Structure formats: C-alpha cells, structure tokens
C-alpha cells in the first residue's frame, strides 16, 4: 500500500512538473514573413498641392508654380499639366480633369466654376462621386457661439458647400462647426466640434450622418482610413516631435506611425486604394516639402499593444510603427526576476549598454535570437561596425536590435573659439577639460564651457568601467585619478552643469563656445545650418559609444506579433536619414559638421559598463576625500575581481 | 474484524483527505519549484535549454568565490552558532534558577527580535566603524538570535519536573549527577532544535550584512553564500544561481541529517 502511495505521489509530482512550464524550445517555424518596404518618398520638392487619381498616379504642384507634375506609383515622372494659376491652395483630380482651388476661386481645368466672396478663404476640396465638396472659412461667421474645446485651436468659421458636376448647383452641407474634411474612395467625412469634444461624421449629400465623438485634440488634418473606426492626424508627442498617429475615436487608443511628420494643410493627407499620401512639411530643411507615401496595411493594424519592459533608471520607447507601445518600469531586481523567470507578461525589453546587466543579458539572459527574423540581419549589416559587434554574441546570435547610439564628442563654434584663441581640435579629453577649466577659472561668470563632472568622469574611466581585468592596477588609472583630483575639483566640476541647464546654447542653432555632446543625439542638435559649428572627437583610440538595445522575450504571449513589429521597426530604422546608426554616407547631409560626426560615429566601440558601486562610487568618495587613492584601488580591485570571477 | 478494518480504512482515508491541501500546497510552493531549480541547474541557459548535466556543478564547485562564500558561511555556523548556544545556555540557566536581577531584565533578550533591522544596522554602523573583520556581523547575529534561543532553552529548563530532581536527591545524587544525568538529557532535544534553528538563521543574516556593508561586494571575510547567489541573480546567471541554491540546500540538509543522527545516538 505504501509503495503504491509512493508511486502515485511521484507520478503526480512528475505530472505537475511537466505541465508547470518546462516547455520545450521555441518553435522557430512560427516566424512570420513580412514585406516592410511600403514607405516611399516622391522626389518632387517644395510641394504645395497634390492629389492622387484612381490609377494611383500622383499629381503635385510646387509652391507658386502652375506646373502640375504627374508621377506613376513607382515615382517616375510621366507627364505634366498646366494649372490656371500658380497661386493654388489645393488640387483635385477626377477622370482626367484637374480642379484647382485658390484662395477664393475654384477652377475646373481652365474654367472658373465657383467663386467665394473676397473676404472668405478656401481651405480644401474633395471630389466624391459626382460632387465637389469645398471647405472654406466664412469671414462673416459668428465665432462667439462656437464651442471652445481646445485652448489653442478652434472653429474659425469653416463651412462646407457641395457643387454638383451635373449643373454646378451649389448647396450648403448641414453639419455642426466643421473644421476639416476627408475623402476615402467614395465617402466624405467631416471633422468638427460640438459640445465638449470633437466629432467625425460621414457626409451624405448635404447632410451629416451619425457622429462619432472624439477627444479634444483638434488635428491639423485628418483622414479616415477606410473604416469608421480609425482616423489619422498629426500630433505632438511627449518628446516634442510631430508624429503621424492613428487614433481609434471610440477607445482613444493612439498608435504612432511615423515620426517627424507635420501635415500643416487641411488637404495635406489623402488615401487611395490602400495607400496613404501626405505632404510632410517638417522632415526636410529649407522648406523642401515632399510627398510621402505609406502602405496602409503596413501601419494600420488591429494589433495588440507591444508590452515593453524597462527599468526605473532607464527608459526608451521605440517608434510604434503602427502599434501602441506600452511601457512598464520595474526596479532592477524585479526586472531581473521577470527576465529570468521567463515572465509571459512582456513582449520585449529595452536596455542600455551603460546598465551593468546589459552585458550579462547578452551572456546569460533569456532573449529571442533574431537572426532569422525578416529584416533584422539586413538592418544590422547596414549599421556601424560597433553596433554590429555589440548586438552579436560569441555564438554569432543577434541577441538584440540596436535602437540608438550616443557617442560623446566636442561640439564647438569655430568663430567664437577663435576670438579667445581656443580650439578643441586635436585635444584629448583630459587636455580639453584642463583648457576649459583654465578659461572658466579666468572668467567664472561664463557658462558656455560646460563639461559636467558626472558626465566626464565615466568618459575618462571608460576603459576601467568596461570591466577589463587588471584595469585598475596599472599606472594609467593612478594618473587619471590624480587628474580628476586636481583638475576636476573646482566649482565647475563640483556641481553638475548639464546640457539641459544651458538650453540657450543648443536650442538657438548656434553654440556659444563649446559643449560636450554626451546625452543628446546629433540629430537633436542640428547645427548643420550654421557653418561655424564643428565636431571633433576627444578620445585616443576608438570613441566610446553607449547603445540602446531592444530584446525580444521568447516567452511572450504575442511572440509572432512582436516579431512582426521588429520587422517593421527594422524597416523604419533602415530608412532614417542623419540618424547616426547606419554606416551609409549617402543617408547623411553634406555639411562638414555632419561629415565629422559621421566619422566620429564610425570609429567607435560600444562599452558595456560594470556596476557603479565597483568603481564610480569609490571614485566619488575619493573626490570627496573620504577614501585615499590606495584604498580606492584596493577596494575597487577587490570588487572588480569578485564581479568578474564569481 | 472486517467492520473494524473497514472503520480504520475509512478513518485513514479521512486523515489523508485532510492532509491533502497541505501536501498540495507544499508540493506547489516548495517541491515543484525546487525540482524546477534542479532542472535549471542541469541546462546551459534559459533559452536553448540544452542539458549539460553536471557541468554547472563542476563550474560552481571550482569557482573561487563560491568556495570563499561556502567557507565564510561554515565559519559563521561553527563560530557564531557555537558562541550563541553557549551564551544562551548560560543565560537560560541563570533565568531558570532564579537570579532575581536577571529575571527582571529577561524582556531585554527578546527586544532584538522586535527592533527593525534597519535601525539595528544603523546603530551597528556607528559602533563598529572598523570593518576589517567579520566580528560586527557575528555579534549582530548573536545579538539578534539570543532572544529566541533563550526563550526556547528557558522553556526546556523550566519544563523539567521538580519531582524528578527531588527523587534523585533522595537517592543520593549530587549536583553534578543531577545535571549530567537529568538536566542535560532532558534538554538535549531542545538544544539540538535550537542549534538547528540557529544554523538556519545564520543563512538569513544576509539582510543585516547587506545593509551593514551597503554593497553587493562586502569584504572577503563576510562574503557568504547569499551574496554569491544574489550577485548571480543580478547578473542574470540563472544557472550559477540554481546550482549554488541546490548545493546550499544539500549543505543544509546534510547539517540537519547529521544533527538528527547525533541526537538519535544520544537518545539511545
């Protein structure tokens, strides 16, 4: 009897163990395939008006030009037409006919078919079926009665009229406080405001159909994606970049689609047969506004949110590519537990190479190997060599996707530096700190030479912080410590003057003297318009780089959707220009500043860091005088030995 | 006869059914996780999960820091627990045999159990500035656990019936015989239990040690098994963590088995 019970117990335990999660390896045959090349930019510059016909041909006219160029769906120019006037607000194309809208007139080919009063202002036209819908601002409208749902934008007196093809009869469309119109194939939609919020509604004939309430964010332009559930508009995101977003008006859930997109015209976004065309007035310098096209299915999906894990100390939300990215932040211990226990509750996690467990993640962590995910290997191959090396482990596995890379360097204004006979060109970081310290000492009021001690010390100790054995026991470390003690003990380096404390330096498109580019990406400090700005590296040997990685959780409940997202993200990252991730000079501007930065970013090595308590905290105690140099070396060496060998 | 057997079987079944929830809980929250950790200690990593059998064990057992931590943990057991038991016995004896002034202060021995750890460590750090030895941690361990040991041993002493001593005295036993033949044999089970409890508690001193040193890498003399496991956890090295956890459980199991063996021999 006892033996039976024993056998039963063992059997039960074994069954429980079997079903409790000792699941087998991930089935790599589940990887979906996906074509990510749906993003396209038309070559025409300075576009002001455009439309797309039923065959997918694009008609575009430049600002103050009466030439309407025609492009086929592959971007090749196939013809041109002449507009009745170069001063167009919008154009529309139907059955080979071109409708041109000016400030207060509408032309059908060369013939004027409708006029507004002189004070009125036309905004947009759409052709739906046998009707032309014209949106204009009625100068005589009573604005005082309009609801104010947004303190920054409101109803300006817009109205919609319908002009029928057959007899050119005109009738006013009845709808409440319209602001924008949108057409998609044979449907016209209106965006308006009523009560406390916005609304969207279909227009049938002269009447608006049932309205769907939206939020109080009033878009610059909007587009219905083909179904009643979703619409698109541009909005400002948390990091102050304009982003093309898609929002479900019912749930309010917003997905980011494309960054750096500003559609500032009412007619700036259109759709045709599964493609979305928009006039981007933001992404290009010197007003070279271009038409961009995305394939709807690539970006607008009924997809589950991507659940991202990050630590409290570091966070980075990659571009959504049509998906909502939901971030959770955990403490380091909770993060380690989630990763090690193969928690199903997250799809991916973000790490920085400056976080001490990144290297351990690569060596011991649980991550989905990305080699066979479509687009990843191609994208990684195009990245800078340092990034390729950082995301590939000793087994040749791509353990993470590189999202961003920061390389410290000195940015300076040649003209201002010449005035004080100072040049960082050819100086090492130590020499730069010493020179800058000298200039600061001669004039303590100046704040345009700012090198934060908290930022500079990790750069000075980059080799030691990378966890190389015996790094602390050679004379070089002692020299660096003496340098830090003597050169970085005055007030400039005692307080943390970060770049953020000097907004006037890097936001006015001109830098006073010098700054160390540590935490900002070069694209956030675009000085290419100022020919006096230069970049120079200050490190002997390769430049240290800090990288942000995205790792996929192999136990994710939505693994296939997450891998689709990874593929889309690779496509997006591969198409970015001046982003300092890709080793392709053709993707960067021609200015000397950008070229110098490119060379700096090319000559880098990604440094993974050891925990701060091993070296940085003892260094801080040493600077404060709480620890002697010998004790610092002994203590840090002991901890480093334990960290590397345990 | 048959009816009796039937009744007995019915009773046995009821007993087993009563035990089932507890057994199930033990299985789910202890046995199965332990078996999973054992499984993780036999594979190469969390993603590929290839069996490497005892390679991880060899790697851990030959790791100088694991051996250092093992040595420090055993030293803590041998030195600190021995001193703790000796001190607890003396105090318990004094409390049991009525030293009045000591009786009035008996609550003080329980106080370390209720004071928050962070407060204790704060005081310890201000008292023990020099951390060149593990003495602060040993003293902290003894001070924190003296209370429970004194309570248990005092209860053991006071539970011995007075009539036994009186009977022995009537038979002509002197003090030495009374203590060696009556007191000691009667408190030995409690002493062993207290010793085992103290040994288990010696593995829990990690929290106080971590707060005292304020780092994941304390001086070598205080680097115990928990530091080794905690650091491997933070480094996401689950295999080293699992292996060292299994080895630690084997160590504790071994100590408990040795203790039980000695106690049984002593009982005989």
């Amino acid at each position: 009897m006892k033996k039976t019970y024993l056998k039963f117990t063992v059997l039960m335990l074994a069954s429980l163990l079997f079903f409790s999660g000792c699941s087998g390896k991930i089935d790599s045959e589940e990887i979906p395939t996906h074509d990510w090349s749906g993003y396209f930019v038309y070559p025409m510059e300075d576009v002001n008006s455009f439309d797309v016909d039923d065959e997918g041909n694009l008609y575009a006219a430049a600002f103050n030009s009466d030439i309407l160029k025609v492009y086929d769906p592959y971007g090749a120019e196939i013809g041109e037409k002449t507009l009745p006037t170069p001063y167009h607000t919008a154009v529309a194309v139907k059955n080979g006919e071109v409708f041109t809208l000016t400030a207060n007139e509408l032309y059908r080919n060369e013939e004027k078919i409708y006029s507004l009063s002189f004070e009125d202002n036309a905004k947009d036209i759409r052709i739906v079926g046998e009707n032309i819908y014209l949106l204009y601002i009625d100068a005589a409208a009573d604005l005082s009665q309009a609801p104010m749902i947004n303190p920054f934008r409101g109803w300006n007196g817009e109205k919609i009229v319908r002009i029928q093809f057959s007899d050119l009869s005109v009738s006013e469309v009845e709808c409440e406080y319209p602001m924008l119109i949108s057409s998609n194939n044979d449907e016209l939609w209106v965006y308006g405001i009523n009560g406390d919020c916005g609304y969207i509604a279909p227009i049938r004939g002269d009447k608006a159909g049932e309205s769907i309430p939206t939020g109080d964010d009033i878009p610059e332009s909007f587009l219905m994606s083909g179904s009643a559930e979703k619409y698109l508009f541009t909005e400002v995101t948390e990091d102050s970049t304009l982003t093309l977003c898609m929002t479900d008006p019912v749930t309010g859930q917003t997905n980011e689609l494309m960054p750096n997109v500003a559609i500032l015209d009412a007619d700036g976004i259109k759709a045709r047969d599964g493609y979305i065309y928009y006039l981007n007035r933001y992404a290009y310098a010197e007003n070279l506004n271009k038409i961009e096209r995305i394939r709807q299915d690539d970006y607008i999906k009924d997809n589950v949110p991507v659940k991202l894990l990050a630590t409290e100390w570091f966070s980075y939300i990659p571009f959504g590519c049509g998906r909502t990215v939901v971030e959770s932040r955990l403490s380091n211990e909770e993060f380690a537990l989630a990763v090690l226990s193969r928690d199903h509750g997250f799809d991916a996690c973000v790490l920085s190479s400056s976080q001490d467990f990144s290297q351990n993640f690569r060596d011991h962590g649980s991550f989905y190997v990305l080699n066979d995910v479509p687009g990843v290997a191609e994208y990684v191959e195009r990245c800078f060599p340092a990034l390729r090396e950082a995301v590939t482990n000793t087994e040749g596995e791509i353990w993470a996707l590189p999202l961003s890379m920061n390389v410290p360097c000195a940015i300076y204004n040649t003209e201002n530096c010449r005035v004080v006979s100072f040049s960082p060109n050819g100086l090492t970081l130590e020499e730069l700190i010493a020179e800058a310290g000298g200039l600061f000492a001669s004039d303590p009021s100046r704040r345009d030479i700012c090198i934060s001690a908290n930022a500079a010390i990790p750069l000075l100790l980059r080799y030691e912080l990378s966890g190389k054995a015996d790094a602390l026991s050679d004379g070089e470390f002692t020299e660096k410590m003496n340098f830090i003690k003597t050169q970085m003990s005055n007030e400039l380096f005692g307080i943390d003057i970060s770049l953020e404390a000097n907004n006037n330096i890097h936001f006015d498109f001109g830098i006073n003297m010098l700054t160390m580019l540590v935490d900002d990406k070069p694209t956030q400090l675009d000085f290419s318009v100022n020919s006096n700005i230069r970049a120079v590296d200050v490190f002997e040997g390769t430049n240290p780089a800090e990288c942000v990685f995205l790792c996929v959780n192999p136990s994710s409940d939505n693994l296939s959707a997450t891998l689709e997202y990874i593929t889309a993200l690779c496509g997006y990252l591969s198409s970015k220009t001046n982003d300092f991730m890709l080793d392709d000079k053709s993707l960067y501007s021609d200015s000397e500043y950008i070229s110098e930065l490119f060379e700096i970013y090319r000559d880098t090595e990604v440094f993974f860091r050891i925990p701060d308590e091993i070296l940085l905290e003892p260094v801080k105690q040493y600077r404060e005088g709480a620890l002697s140099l010998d004790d610092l070396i002994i203590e840090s060496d002991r901890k480093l030995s334990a960290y590397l060998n345990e | 006869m048959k009816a009796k057997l039937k009744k007995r079987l019915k009773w046995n079944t009821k007993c087993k059914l009563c035990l089932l929830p507890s057994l199930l809980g033990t299985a789910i929250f202890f046995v199965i996780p332990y078996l999973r950790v054992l499984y993780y200690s036999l594979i190469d990593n969390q993603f590929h999960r290839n069996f490497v059998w005892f390679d991880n064990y060899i790697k851990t057992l030959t790791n100088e820091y694991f051996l250092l931590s093992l040595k420090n943990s055993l030293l803590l057991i041998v030195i600190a627990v021995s001193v703790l038991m000796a001190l607890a016995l003396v105090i318990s004896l004094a409390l049991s045999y009525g030293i009045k002034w000591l009786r009035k202060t008996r609550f003080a021995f329980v106080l370390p159990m209720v004071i928050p750890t962070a407060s204790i460590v704060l005081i310890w750090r201000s008292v023990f500035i020099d951390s060149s030895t593990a003495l602060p941690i040993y003293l902290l361990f003894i001070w924190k656990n003296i209370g429970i040991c004194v309570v248990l041993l005092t209860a053991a002493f006071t539970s011995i019936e007075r009539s036994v001593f009186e009977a022995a005295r009537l038979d002509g036993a002197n003090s030495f015989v009374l203590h060696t033949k009556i007191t000691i044999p009667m408190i030995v089970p409690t002493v062993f239990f207290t010793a085992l409890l103290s040994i288990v508690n010696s593995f829990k001193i990690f929290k106080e040690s971590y707060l005292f040193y304020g780092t994941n890498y304390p001086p070598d003399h205080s680097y115990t098994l928990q530091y080794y496991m905690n650091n491997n956890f933070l480094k996401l090295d689950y295999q080293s963590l699992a292996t060292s956890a299994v080895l630690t459980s084997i160590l504790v199991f071994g100590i408990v088995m040795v203790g039980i063996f000695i106690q049984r021999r002593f009982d005989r």
Side-chain angles (χ1 to χ4, degrees):
Chain A
M1 197 67 154
K2 276 188 183 173
K3 279 187 184 171
T4 313
Y5 271 116
L6 191 63
K7 282 181 194 170
F8 173 74
T9 308
V10 168
L11 200 63
M12 189 183 74
L13 287 174
S15 313
L16 281 168
L17 187 65
F18 179 78
F19 289 112
S20 71
C22 286
S23 50
K25 298 176 192 177
I26 303 297
D27 183 3
S28 60
E29 292 174 357
E30 294 169 359
I31 300 169
T33 56
H34 192 87
D35 180 7
W36 48 268
S37 56
Y39 173 68
F40 183 77
V41 181
Y42 285 89
M44 188 173 176
E45 296 176 347
D46 202 17
V47 177
N48 191 55
S49 307
F50 77 99
D51 197 13
V52 183
D53 68 14
D54 294 334
E55 278 90 46
N57 297 320
L58 179 85
Y59 294 73
F63 187 69
N64 285 351
S65 169
D66 60 357
I67 303 298
L68 184 72
K69 293 195 177 180
V70 187
Y71 296 89
D72 70 6
Y74 300 100
E77 189 175 333
I78 57 173
E80 61 180 49
K81 292 177 183 288
T82 304
L83 297 174
T85 170
Y87 307 113
H88 41 83
T89 299
V91 295
V93 176
K94 179 79 173 179
N95 297 331
E97 294 186 291
V98 177
F99 295 81
T100 309
L101 184 69
T102 67
N104 40 34
E105 290 171 342
L106 177 63
Y107 291 83
R108 182 177 185 174
N109 299 318
E110 296 290 326
E111 182 194 352
K112 190 193 304 183
I113 59 171
Y114 184 69
S115 293
L116 297 165
S117 64
F118 183 76
E119 295 82 17
D120 295 340
N121 194 13
K123 283 180 70 172
D124 193 6
I125 50 165
R126 301 292 170 128
I127 300 175
V128 177
E130 297 300 312
N131 302 301
I132 305 167
Y133 289 90
L134 191 155
L135 177 74
Y136 72 100
I137 296 175
D138 180 1
D142 180 10
L143 303 181
S144 62
Q145 302 301 313
M148 278 294 289
I149 67 168
N150 186 298
F152 305 107
R153 294 191 62 221
W155 186 69
N156 293 313
E158 286 92 344
K159 290 183 181 171
I160 306 171
V161 292
R162 177 175 74 132
I163 304 167
Q164 297 189 58
F165 273 137
S166 53
D167 54 3
L168 296 181
S169 60
V170 179
S171 53
E172 187 164 323
V173 173
E174 291 175 22
C175 56
E176 230 177 325
Y177 303 106
M179 293 187 68
L180 298 162
I181 53 175
S182 159
S183 64
N184 196 335
N185 294 338
D186 289 328
E187 269 199 323
L188 184 80
W189 284 77
V190 61
Y191 180 97
I193 52 175
N194 61 9
D196 297 327
C197 63
Y199 75 90
I200 52 173
I203 299 290
R204 297 189 180 96
D206 292 337
K207 296 199 188 313
E210 191 178 336
S211 65
I212 303 167
T214 66
D216 55 9
D217 283 325
I218 300 177
E220 294 286 350
S221 58
F222 98 108
L223 170 75
M224 290 306 291
S225 67
S227 64
E229 288 81 30
K230 295 177 182 54
Y231 67 102
L232 291 163
F233 59 89
T234 52
E235 71 172 334
V236 179
T237 55
E238 281 182 12
D239 61 355
S240 301
T241 54
L242 288 167
T243 302
L244 181 67
C245 297
M246 175 195 78
T247 295
D248 184 329
V250 175
T251 65
Q253 180 174 303
T254 297
N255 293 1
E256 289 178 338
L257 305 186
M258 294 293 289
N260 300 320
V261 174
I263 305 172
L264 302 178
D265 309 87
D267 69 331
I269 185 164
K270 296 182 179 177
R272 178 77 63 189
D273 295 329
Y275 284 88
I276 294 167
Y277 305 77
Y278 55 90
L279 176 55
N280 190 354
R281 292 190 182 275
Y282 179 88
Y284 306 98
E286 299 173 9
N287 294 321
L288 299 176
N289 312 313
K290 289 185 173 180
I291 305 287
E292 297 179 8
R293 182 189 73 201
I294 58 175
R295 189 163 52 209
Q296 186 168 307
D297 286 345
D298 291 350
Y299 294 92
I300 301 176
K301 295 177 179 295
D302 287 322
N303 44 50
V304 293
V306 174
K307 284 173 277 183
L308 200 67
L309 210 61
T311 60
E312 288 164 339
W313 185 85
F314 173 81
S315 164
Y316 182 98
I317 301 182
F319 188 67
C321 294
R323 294 148 180 86
T324 302
V325 180
V326 176
E327 188 198 34
S328 300
R329 288 208 202 174
L330 305 177
S331 66
N332 281 359
E333 288 77 17
E334 288 168 332
F335 184 90
L337 195 60
V339 166
L340 287 176
S341 63
R342 297 186 59 149
D343 194 339
H344 295 266
F346 70 100
D347 300 318
C349 59
V350 283
L351 312 167
S352 164
S353 58
S354 61
Q355 291 180 288
D356 52 71
F357 54 74
S358 289
Q359 187 167 265
N360 296 315
F361 204 100
R362 178 190 64 187
D363 297 336
H364 307 293
S366 182
F367 51 83
Y368 190 88
V369 174
L370 298 174
N371 293 60
D372 295 327
V373 178
V376 171
E378 293 84 351
Y379 165 64
V380 168
E381 194 54 36
R382 295 182 66 200
C383 288
F384 288 120
L387 288 173
R388 290 203 295 271
E389 195 183 319
V391 298
T392 311
N393 65 14
T394 51
E395 315 284 324
E397 296 167 336
I398 300 174
W399 64 280
L401 196 71
L403 295 179
S404 171
M405 183 164 77
N406 288 349
V407 179
C409 59
I411 315 280
Y412 64 103
N413 185 317
T414 53
E415 193 50 37
N416 290 350
C417 285
R418 185 191 62 78
V419 169
V420 293
S421 304
F422 168 74
S423 172
N425 217 336
L427 296 181
T428 62
L429 180 60
E430 289 88 338
E431 288 163 350
L432 185 65
I433 290 172
E435 285 253 5
L439 279 170
F440 177 76
S442 66
D443 183 4
S445 67
R446 68 187 319 152
R447 281 291 184 267
D448 53 1
I449 302 171
C450 296
I451 301 175
S452 161
N454 284 342
I457 289 175
L459 297 178
L460 283 168
L461 300 176
R462 65 198 177 282
Y463 179 73
E464 290 80 5
L465 285 171
S466 64
K468 304 279 190 295
D470 301 327
L472 307 179
S473 46
D474 63 17
E476 204 176 316
F477 178 69
T478 308
E479 277 178 33
K480 286 182 185 175
M481 284 297 106
N482 288 331
F483 175 83
I484 288 173
K485 190 83 170 177
T486 54
Q487 295 287 344
M488 300 182 78
S489 61
N490 62 28
E491 190 184 327
L492 170 67
F493 303 106
I495 56 175
D496 186 8
I497 307 172
S498 65
L499 286 175
E500 284 73 30
N502 294 281
N503 287 339
N504 61 318
I505 289 180
H506 62 274
F507 282 133
D508 65 355
F509 290 108
I511 189 167
N512 284 352
M513 180 75 70
L514 166 81
T515 190
M516 278 298 292
L517 186 65
V518 178
D519 295 321
D520 292 327
K521 283 187 66 97
T523 44
Q524 290 174 303
L525 297 170
D526 187 5
F527 300 124
S528 56
V529 294
N530 185 333
S531 59
N532 289 335
I533 303 301
R534 288 289 184 275
V536 65
D537 72 44
V538 292
F539 297 98
E540 289 172 313
T542 52
N543 300 308
E546 183 184 311
C547 185
V548 178
F549 308 107
L550 179 74
C551 297
V552 175
N553 175 17
S555 303
S556 161
D557 285 336
N558 307 305
L559 185 62
S560 61
T562 305
L563 295 177
E564 276 186 28
Y565 168 63
I566 295 295
T567 299
L569 189 58
C570 286
Y572 161 72
L573 292 170
S574 291
S575 64
K576 291 183 80 176
T577 57
N578 283 343
D579 194 49
F580 293 92
M581 292 285 288
L582 301 174
D583 190 12
D584 182 353
K585 195 69 173 64
S586 65
L587 296 172
Y588 298 86
S589 307
D590 277 335
S591 69
E592 280 190 69
Y593 166 71
I594 296 293
S595 298
E596 283 161 356
L597 277 176
F598 178 81
E599 292 307 321
I600 290 169
Y601 267 68
R602 201 182 228 177
D603 183 28
T604 59
E605 182 183 349
V606 176
F607 276 83
F608 290 88
R609 255 169 59 167
I610 57 177
D612 287 355
E613 65 171 308
I614 291 177
L615 184 57
L616 280 183
E617 283 174 15
V619 166
K620 187 179 167 193
Q621 290 175 330
Y622 167 69
R623 281 182 71 218
E624 290 167 357
L627 208 59
S628 70
L629 181 59
D630 288 337
D631 287 343
L632 161 67
I633 292 173
I634 292 169
E635 183 69 5
S636 297
D637 209 28
R638 179 185 65 76
K639 288 181 179 177
L640 182 63
S641 173
Y643 176 78
L644 294 173
N645 297 309
E646 68 184 355
Chain B
M1 187 69 173
K2 264 189 178 177
K4 262 192 178 175
L5 191 65
K6 228 180 173 179
K7 199 178 175 183
R8 194 182 170 139
L9 277 172
K10 210 177 171 183
W11 174 249
N12 282 349
T13 310
K14 280 184 187 173
C15 289
K16 281 160 193 163
L17 281 173
C18 285
L19 279 174
L20 198 59
S22 176
L23 280 176
L24 210 60
T26 307
I28 291 171
F29 294 109
F30 288 98
V31 177
I32 291 173
Y34 185 83
L35 291 174
R36 284 191 77 177
V37 168
L38 192 61
Y39 165 69
Y40 288 141
S41 72
L42 300 173
I43 59 175
D44 58 350
N45 66 50
Q46 296 295 90
F47 180 61
H48 293 295
R49 296 190 168 183
N50 299 313
F51 270 99
V52 292
W53 299 107
F54 296 105
D55 285 358
N56 293 327
Y57 287 94
I58 294 169
K59 186 180 140 205
T60 300
L61 285 168
T62 53
N63 183 292
E64 61 177 297
Y65 283 91
F66 175 78
L67 295 174
L68 172 67
S69 63
L70 183 63
K71 182 193 102 184
N72 288 330
S73 297
L74 288 173
L75 274 176
L76 186 67
I77 291 170
V78 167
I79 298 173
V81 172
S82 307
V83 170
L84 171 67
M85 290 306 300
L87 206 56
L89 271 167
V90 166
I91 295 170
S92 304
L93 263 171
L95 283 173
S96 307
Y97 292 102
I99 299 178
K100 284 184 184 166
W101 63 267
L102 198 60
R103 272 190 158 183
K104 287 179 185 173
T105 60
R106 60 186 168 186
F107 77 94
F109 297 106
V110 186
L111 217 53
M113 292 163 62
V114 299
I115 297 176
T117 306
S119 308
I120 298 171
V121 170
L122 201 63
I123 298 164
W124 236 250
R125 285 180 85 165
S126 55
V127 170
F128 296 97
I129 299 167
D130 177 23
S131 59
S132 57
T133 65
L135 185 65
I137 300 301
Y138 284 15
L139 289 176
L140 182 55
F141 167 74
I142 291 167
W143 184 75
K144 223 176 153 6
N145 290 279
I146 193 80
I148 186 70
C149 294
V150 163
V151 164
L152 290 171
L153 290 172
T154 306
F157 278 122
T158 51
S159 69
I160 302 171
E161 299 247 355
R162 294 283 167 213
S163 55
V164 176
F165 286 110
E166 282 164 11
R169 277 201 197 94
L170 284 171
D171 288 340
N174 57 22
S175 292
F176 180 76
V177 170
L178 279 174
H179 288 308
T180 53
K181 300 291 183 191
I182 296 175
T183 310
I184 289 173
M186 292 197 80
I187 68 164
V188 154
T190 308
V191 169
F192 273 117
F193 172 75
T194 309
L196 280 173
L197 188 67
S198 302
I199 289 170
V200 170
N201 282 344
S202 74
F203 286 95
K204 297 184 191 172
I205 199 66
F206 169 70
K207 183 171 62 172
E208 288 81 1
S209 176
Y210 183 84
L211 286 171
F212 182 78
Y213 290 110
T215 173
N216 286 316
Y217 298 95
D220 284 354
H221 52 67
S222 296
Y223 183 82
T224 54
L225 281 168
Q226 293 88 340
Y227 279 103
Y228 180 83
M229 288 192 275
N230 191 58
N231 290 344
N232 276 299
F233 167 71
L234 291 173
K235 285 157 75 173
L236 306 178
D237 190 349
Y238 205 106
Q239 274 53 57
S240 289
L241 172 62
T243 311
S244 50
V246 170
L247 289 171
T248 303
S249 70
I250 292 172
L251 171 69
V252 173
F253 182 74
I255 292 171
V256 169
M257 285 294 112
V258 165
I260 291 173
F261 176 74
I262 293 173
Q263 187 186 347
R264 281 186 183 165
R265 283 291 296 264
F266 197 87
D267 281 346
R268 277 193 228 132

